[in-house]
Amino acid sequence: MEGVEAEIVIVGAGIAGLATSLGLHRLGIRSLVLESSESLRVSGFAFTTWTNAWRALDEIGIGDSLRQQHDRLYGIVASSIISGLPTSEMSFTTKASHGDHEVRCVRRKFLLEALQKELPSGTIRFSSKVVSIEEDSGGCFKMVHLANGSVVKAKVLIGCDGVNSVVSKWLGFKKPAFVGRSAIRGFADFKCSHGFEPKFLLFVGKGVRCGFVPCNEGTVYWFFTFASSTKDKEIEKNPAKMKEFVLSNLGKVPDKVKAIVEITELDSITYSPLRSGRPWELLWANISKGNVCVTGDAFHPMTPDIRQGGCSALEDGVVLARCLAEALRETPSTAEAKEGYGKEYRRIEMGMKKFAKERKWRGIVLVSTAYMVGFVQQSNGVVVSFLRDKVLGSFMAGLLLKRADFDCGKLSIS
């Protein structure tokens, strides 16, 4: 790829990167997506897809195909690991200010493949790890250096490269902080119907938090988050020990729910430390600078406690595609053509600033909420545990719907 030049370069073929690329494609704008891995990164198995995410998926045109593969969830039941008794229950059929609530658990693999399928051939270039970024002599173009020694010249650079983002580092973001908790995630594939109601089952207590979420009639996604310790080294690369650890810490979770973990194949279990951005740092962060910006986890890394990481990345994709399309839709006048790229660069810069302004507070709210919910739900303190189980259960569940009751707007531009 020596000497390649692209109008828009997106770093990272995750949810944020592919959603942004597809949003631009729907608006007639081509982009180049650079992905460090050899193929789509489908680890993570599944994520809860809330109302706000379905609005974004519908805007980029893949909502209906994903609905056919994933059952709709109709509520959440929170219970205590210690007593085994329900502490709160809430329906998802409640009306939202922007329409009906819609919640499903979507397999990451299916989502990424649906996004890729709609993109023009050649949009994604795999095995293209970005190692550094520099400006050209004029300061307008960005020179993206890859691990294989090649360089891509970008008119617009978008960082969708996750919590270890090279682009966010270039913008001056600090590395997301480890929050002292880790997650073990799994995906159980039943040979026949699993028999569970289409509800999100959440269990909290003893410093842990676990959830079991049906994706469809035959599959269930589960997660287990806990306070990390020095013993994590013994399990983090051993799926068998991960499964054993989870089963030994499930408390009074019903046997039929424990069976979900028991039947999970070892190659369907992963471990990851949880990291989060600092909300107060987002207040001063440069989400965009000139013709460079970040989206998704590169912009607002958050703990999974409100299940909004992937959802907000989809929102980012729609909003950024719209803002960029507005900036690029004008045909350069004769005077602009004589001036060179400068006038167009300023339009792109304003489009990036518009995106940053529209998304900044949303990112701060989500990161802050996720951190707060995680602290309360996984606290092992007597007072906080009592308030969580007796007073805050319904409030915390309602907070999930409140953060999901959001509309990122239309993809189309007037």
Side-chain angles (χ1 to χ4, degrees):
M1 280 196 296
E2 186 70 42
V4 168
E5 183 173 334
E7 184 168 73
I8 298 176
V9 172
I10 297 172
V11 183
I15 295 174
L18 295 187
T20 302
S21 182
L22 183 54
L24 289 167
H25 173 62
R26 298 297 192 209
L27 295 172
I29 300 173
R30 185 90 184 237
S31 62
L32 173 65
V33 181
L34 302 176
E35 169 54 42
S36 61
S37 64
E38 297 177 355
S39 59
L40 288 180
R41 294 174 286 112
V42 297
S43 62
F45 303 114
F47 70 101
T48 310
T49 310
W50 298 86
T51 316
N52 54 315
W54 287 107
R55 295 189 183 112
L57 289 168
D58 285 336
E59 287 302 314
I60 57 178
I62 61 171
D64 286 341
S65 65
L66 289 169
R67 287 184 177 95
Q68 294 173 14
Q69 298 170 299
H70 303 90
D71 293 340
R72 188 166 183 170
L73 302 174
Y74 290 96
I76 181 170
V77 180
S79 302
S80 168
I81 277 183
I82 300 171
S83 67
L85 299 175
T87 57
S88 66
E89 184 170 357
M90 185 180 61
S91 171
F92 292 156
T93 59
T94 305
K95 285 281 187 179
S97 61
H98 296 286
D100 291 332
H101 277 294
E102 180 178 6
V103 187
R104 302 171 196 263
C105 188
V106 172
R107 292 188 63 175
R108 179 183 172 89
K109 171 182 169 66
F110 291 173
L111 171 59
L112 293 183
E113 288 177 345
L115 290 165
Q116 182 187 37
K117 181 181 177 181
E118 296 297 313
L119 290 169
S121 176
T123 297
I124 308 172
R125 296 196 180 179
F126 295 103
S127 301
S128 300
K129 180 179 176 61
V130 175
V131 293
S132 65
I133 302 161
E134 64 178 355
E135 295 182 335
D136 70 339
S137 57
C140 290
F141 292 90
K142 298 299 175 287
M143 312 304 293
V144 183
H145 295 261
L146 306 184
N148 61 10
S150 59
V151 180
V152 180
K153 185 178 181 181
K155 184 182 289 187
V156 178
L157 179 62
I158 304 169
C160 306
D161 43 342
V163 294
N164 296 312
S165 170
V166 175
V167 182
S168 64
K169 182 179 179 181
W170 186 85
L171 286 172
F173 276 64
K174 292 185 179 180
K175 190 173 182 178
F178 175 53
V179 298
R181 295 184 287 130
S182 296
I184 296 174
R185 299 177 173 95
F187 191 81
D189 193 355
F190 289 73
K191 302 306 179 185
C192 55
S193 175
H194 50 63
F196 287 93
E197 291 185 86
K199 290 184 178 181
F200 187 139
L201 303 180
L202 180 66
F203 298 88
V204 182
K206 297 193 299 184
V208 303
R209 180 173 180 266
C210 57
F212 301 84
V213 197
C215 293
N216 51 41
E217 190 176 273
T219 54
V220 178
Y221 166 69
W222 59 267
F223 62 86
F224 182 89
T225 58
F226 58 98
S228 300
S229 70
T230 54
K231 294 183 178 180
D232 287 4
K233 294 294 182 182
E234 301 174 8
I235 67 171
E236 63 182 29
K237 294 182 180 180
N238 189 324
K241 288 189 175 181
M242 292 181 207
K243 179 189 280 193
E244 180 183 343
F245 176 79
V246 173
L247 288 171
S248 64
N249 286 279
L250 283 180
K252 293 188 176 181
V253 168
D255 289 342
K256 68 174 185 177
V257 176
K258 290 182 180 180
I260 296 172
V261 179
E262 291 171 344
I263 73 163
T264 301
E265 300 290 341
L266 296 183
D267 61 359
S268 295
I269 301 176
T270 62
Y271 168 97
S272 58
L274 300 182
R275 302 185 182 279
S276 175
R278 304 165 184 84
W280 55 91
E281 290 177 358
L282 274 181
L283 284 169
W284 317 113
N286 290 318
I287 300 167
S288 72
K289 180 181 178 183
N291 56 352
V292 180
C293 76
V294 285
T295 74
D297 285 343
F299 163 26
H300 42 60
M302 68 188 79
T303 58
D305 299 290
I306 60 172
R307 327 308 298 171
Q308 278 291 341
C311 299
S312 55
L314 290 168
E315 294 177 10
D316 288 342
V318 171
V319 176
L320 180 55
R322 182 174 65 232
C323 290
L324 265 180
E326 289 175 349
L328 294 170
R329 67 178 174 176
E330 296 181 31
T331 302
S333 63
T334 303
E336 284 184 20
K338 290 180 179 179
E339 184 181 345
Y341 176 51
K343 190 71 176 288
E344 186 179 16
Y345 175 89
R346 287 191 287 275
R347 289 206 312 269
I348 291 171
E349 181 178 30
M350 293 306 297
M352 295 292 208
K353 286 182 177 179
K354 183 177 181 180
F355 164 76
K357 182 178 180 180
E358 187 170 341
R359 296 299 295 167
K360 191 168 194 173
W361 185 246
R362 173 70 170 165
I364 292 170
V365 168
L366 292 177
V367 171
S368 302
T369 304
Y371 186 88
M372 183 269 290
V373 170
F375 172 79
V376 172
Q377 292 198 337
Q378 291 201 207
S379 175
N380 206 22
V382 176
V383 175
V384 176
S385 296
F386 173 82
L387 291 174
R388 177 189 63 223
D389 296 342
K390 303 298 182 181
V391 181
L392 296 176
S394 296
F395 170 76
M396 302 293 276
L399 200 56
L400 301 181
L401 287 185
K402 186 175 181 180
R403 294 295 175 256
D405 187 14
F406 182 86
D407 190 347
C408 62
K410 298 296 183 182
L411 177 64
S412 59
I413 58 177
S414 56

